[in-house]
Amino acid sequence: MQMGIELGGYWPTDRADWQNLFPEMVNVVKKADEIGLDAIVVGEHHFMDYGCTPSPLSMIAHIASFVRVPRLVAAILMVPIHDAPILAGEIAQVDHLTGGRLEIGPARGGAPYEYDLTFRAGDAETTRRNFEEQFKALRMLFTETNCNFEGEFTKFRNVTIMPPVLRKPHPPIWQACQREEAAFHCAKNGYHVFTSSLRRPITYVRGMREAFDAGLAAAEGTRPQGQPEFAHLQWVYVGKDDADVREKLQIAYKKQRKFWGQWTNTTTYQVVDGRVPEIDMPDTVDDMAKGIIFGTKNQVLERLLEIAELGTDLMVMKTGFGQSNPDEVGSLDRLAEHILPEIQTSRAAPKRASR
C-alpha cells in the first residue's frame, strides 16, 4: 500500500499570524518527502479557515520544485466554480511544471457553502449538471485540438490548450466517491477512486472496495490511464503516549465541529472574517475516535494494516487537524520510524523524481 498525506490548510481560530500558514504546510511537505511518502494531495477550498487552499494547482507547482514525491494530486478540483477551457490550460501548465507528476480529481465538491457565497453553481441538481458537462469538456480539451463545445455552463470555439498536457492522454484522473454505486461506475469507466470514511466503520471501506472491484470486472475496452486504483482518506495521528492521543482527540473534535456546520450547511452566513464557527454535532469525542486513526504506534499500525488488507492502493492521511506544526511533524517522524517499514513492504513504491 502506498502512503501519502493531504495538505488541508486548516488554520485554527487561536492562530492569528497568517504568514505562517504556508511555511508550516511546507514544513509538512518537506517531512513527507524526507520520509519517503508516495503522494501529496491538495484539495480546493474557498472563503474559510477550515481549508485555506484556494489554488491547489499553484501549491503543487510550488512544492514540485523542491520535493521528489512521485504523485502530486490536485483533488478535489471544484469544477463547477471554474470554466473548463481555462482550467484545462492551467492543468496542462502544472503537468509540465511537475515533470508529469500531476494527478487530478475533478469533482462537484462537498458542502454547498463555497458555492452559496458566489451564487455560481445553484442547487445540487444544477451543480451535478454543471460538473458532468464541464468534465466532458475537460476530457475533450485534454485529448483534441481545435475544440468546439456548446453547453449550458461552458461554451468555446476552435480552442486548443497550449501547451498540451505532458502525460497522455491526460494526467491520471481521480473521482471522489461516497456511495458504492459511484465507486462501481467510476472503476468501470477506468478512473481512480477516492473514498473517505470519517464516522463510518471499516465495513464501509470494505463495501466501497468490493463495489470498485465489481466495476473493474464489468469494464470493457482499453484503460487509457492504466489500471484504476483505490485510495482511502482518513485522519491519522501517531501519538507519543496515551495522554498525547487524548489531547489530540480534543483538538480534532473542535475541527470536526467546524466541519459539521459546513456539511449540514447551517453556518453559511455565520462565518465572520473567514472563521467557521463550531456547532454541536451528534457524535461525541469517543464516537469520533472510533472512526479516525489516532493512537500510539502499535494501535495506528494495526489500523493501517487492516486498511491495506482490504486492497487499498493508496492511503492518504489527513495529518493536520489543528495541533501545532511540531506535533504534526513529530507524528510523521514516529510514523516513519515505527510504521512505514511494515506498510511499505507490501508493495513497491513508485519511482521518485530526480533532483
Side-chain angles (χ1 to χ4, degrees), residues 29-291:
V29 166
K30 289 180 177 178
K31 178 57 64 175
D33 188 39
E34 176 189 320
I35 67 177
L37 293 186
D38 306 305
I40 294 173
V41 179
V42 189
E44 180 177 359
H45 288 292
H46 299 274
F47 322 127
M48 57 181 173
D49 61 341
Y50 187 87
C52 304
T53 50
S55 179
L57 289 170
S58 65
M59 187 72 184
I60 286 173
H62 172 62
I63 66 178
S65 65
F66 58 83
V67 302
R68 297 179 299 138
V69 177
R71 311 184 76 164
L72 303 174
V73 188
I76 64 168
L77 292 172
M78 297 172 59
V79 169
I81 217 166
H82 296 282
D83 190 32
I86 305 302
L87 180 59
E90 292 174 349
I91 289 169
Q93 177 173 332
V94 178
D95 190 22
H96 283 267
L97 291 173
T98 60
R101 288 180 284 163
L102 177 67
E103 304 181 19
I104 58 173
R108 292 168 61 187
Y113 166 76
E114 293 144 293
Y115 291 130
D116 285 352
L117 293 191
T118 58
F119 302 96
R120 296 210 36 192
D123 58 21
E125 172 59 24
T126 304
T127 304
R128 182 192 62 78
R129 295 200 319 273
N130 186 321
F131 167 70
E132 291 179 353
E133 176 186 300
Q134 295 214 77
F135 185 40
K136 179 181 179 180
L138 279 173
R139 299 195 307 274
M140 173 192 292
L141 290 158
F142 289 148
T143 57
E144 302 177 20
T145 58
N146 308 311
C147 298
N148 298 290
F149 195 96
E150 184 77 19
E152 179 183 3
F153 302 98
T154 187
K155 300 177 175 66
F156 48 88
R157 183 175 65 247
N158 194 33
V159 168
T160 301
I161 59 169
M162 295 298 289
V165 290
L166 179 62
R167 296 182 72 171
K168 305 300 182 183
H170 47 67
I173 292 175
W174 291 86
Q175 295 282 268
C177 300
Q178 295 294 333
R179 296 177 296 108
E180 291 182 6
E181 179 185 12
F184 172 87
H185 286 290
C186 289
K188 182 179 179 181
N189 291 329
Y191 299 118
H192 300 326
V193 167
F194 225 130
T195 67
S196 178
S197 67
L198 185 62
R199 302 185 309 278
R200 295 184 176 120
I202 193 69
T203 53
Y204 166 80
V205 187
R206 183 177 294 112
M208 294 293 286
R209 176 69 211 202
E210 290 172 352
F212 173 85
D213 288 337
L216 292 183
E220 300 175 355
T222 61
R223 293 173 174 161
Q225 67 177 43
Q227 177 71 12
E229 296 185 25
F230 181 86
H232 184 59
L233 174 73
Q234 187 52 279
W235 296 16
V236 176
Y237 180 76
V238 185
K240 292 176 282 191
D241 50 36
D242 289 337
D244 184 40
V245 173
R246 288 193 297 271
E247 175 188 285
K248 298 308 186 291
L249 281 170
Q250 292 292 336
I251 295 172
Y253 189 66
K254 292 175 67 68
K255 180 182 181 185
Q256 184 62 11
R257 283 164 53 93
K258 286 174 171 275
F259 170 77
W260 192 249
Q262 297 294 295
W263 184 252
T264 57
N265 202 31
T266 56
T267 59
T268 297
Y269 298 107
Q270 298 174 30
V271 176
V272 178
D273 298 332
R275 297 294 194 179
V276 178
E278 298 176 34
I279 68 167
D280 291 336
M281 54 182 286
D283 292 348
T284 65
V285 175
D286 290 338
D287 293 331
M288 184 187 72
K290 297 174 185 176

